[in-house]
Amino acid sequence: MQVLQVQLEVGPDPAEVGRARRWARSRLVGSGIGDDEPLAETLILLISELVTNAVVHTGCPAVLRMLFGGGGGAGEAGTVRVEVADASDCPPRPRHAEGEDTGGRGLELVDGLADRWGWQPEGAGKRIWCEVDRGAPVAAATAVREVLPKVVAQGGEVCEPPSCVFTNAPGLA
């Protein structure tokens, strides 16, 4: 299987999130994912959340990577993987925002929209990633509010950081 990988260095400034979104949108179009497709909007939201988390919670530069596997055209099977690597060794901490809270929804959105997500140590920092299957239906906005993280580990054991993989696959508890 052929995989196309593109990456962007992101500075430790919140304004960089908008630049990352614009860059990612152009790369999605270049990979055959139409700018107006629901898949593109989902991926841009995922990228925005992961880059925002890296910039706001670490104050360090980050690297955004997108990997396009499988089919090369819109609607074809394959997986799009988004990765954000930063220099902080602090693991991501999913939170649950209440009512008027202005933060704490990012990883809940990632969990609700991505088919899989997780994180792993990388050098002195970490890499957070998520995947969206191109042939699968795009998650509805209402699903974001209903989905709770489900932890998957090899052998059915409870997953402990730093090697957690989260999934929205049906039937997993």
Side-chain angles (χ1 to χ4, degrees):
M1 171 183 16
Q2 191 175 26
V3 176
L4 169 66
Q5 175 178 314
V6 293
Q7 74 177 36
L8 172 71
E9 293 184 20
V10 180
D13 177 353
E16 289 283 274
V17 177
R19 185 173 74 89
R21 279 193 301 264
R22 289 186 299 277
W23 175 86
R25 191 172 296 280
S26 71
R27 296 319 180 268
L28 291 172
V29 169
S31 76
I33 299 173
D35 192 35
D36 59 347
E37 288 183 46
L39 176 61
E41 293 304 318
T42 297
L43 288 165
I44 294 300
L45 179 55
L46 290 167
I47 288 163
S48 185
E49 291 301 329
L50 293 180
V51 172
T52 297
N53 284 351
V55 170
V56 169
H57 295 296
T58 71
C60 301
V63 175
L64 166 62
R65 290 184 198 97
M66 293 191 308
L67 295 90
F68 302 91
E76 292 185 22
T79 298
V80 180
R81 182 178 177 110
V82 174
E83 301 177 348
V84 176
D86 62 52
S88 170
D89 65 353
C90 294
R93 292 188 320 226
R95 298 182 294 157
H96 180 72
E98 298 291 333
E100 301 293 318
D101 291 350
T102 59
R105 292 176 178 84
L107 291 177
E108 280 188 294
L109 284 170
V110 171
D111 185 66
L113 294 172
D115 292 305
R116 290 164 298 283
W117 74 277
W119 72 280
Q120 59 208 53
E122 182 172 284
K126 67 180 168 305
R127 176 178 8 159
I128 301 175
W129 58 268
C130 65
E131 295 177 339
V132 176
D133 298 327
R134 291 176 81 165
V138 177
T142 54
V144 172
R145 290 183 221 107
E146 299 171 2
V147 176
L148 296 176
K150 296 172 180 75
V151 180
V152 177
Q154 290 181 347
E157 297 176 1
V158 175
C159 179
E160 294 292 332
S163 59
C164 289
V165 175
F166 303 88
T167 183
N168 287 324
L172 294 174

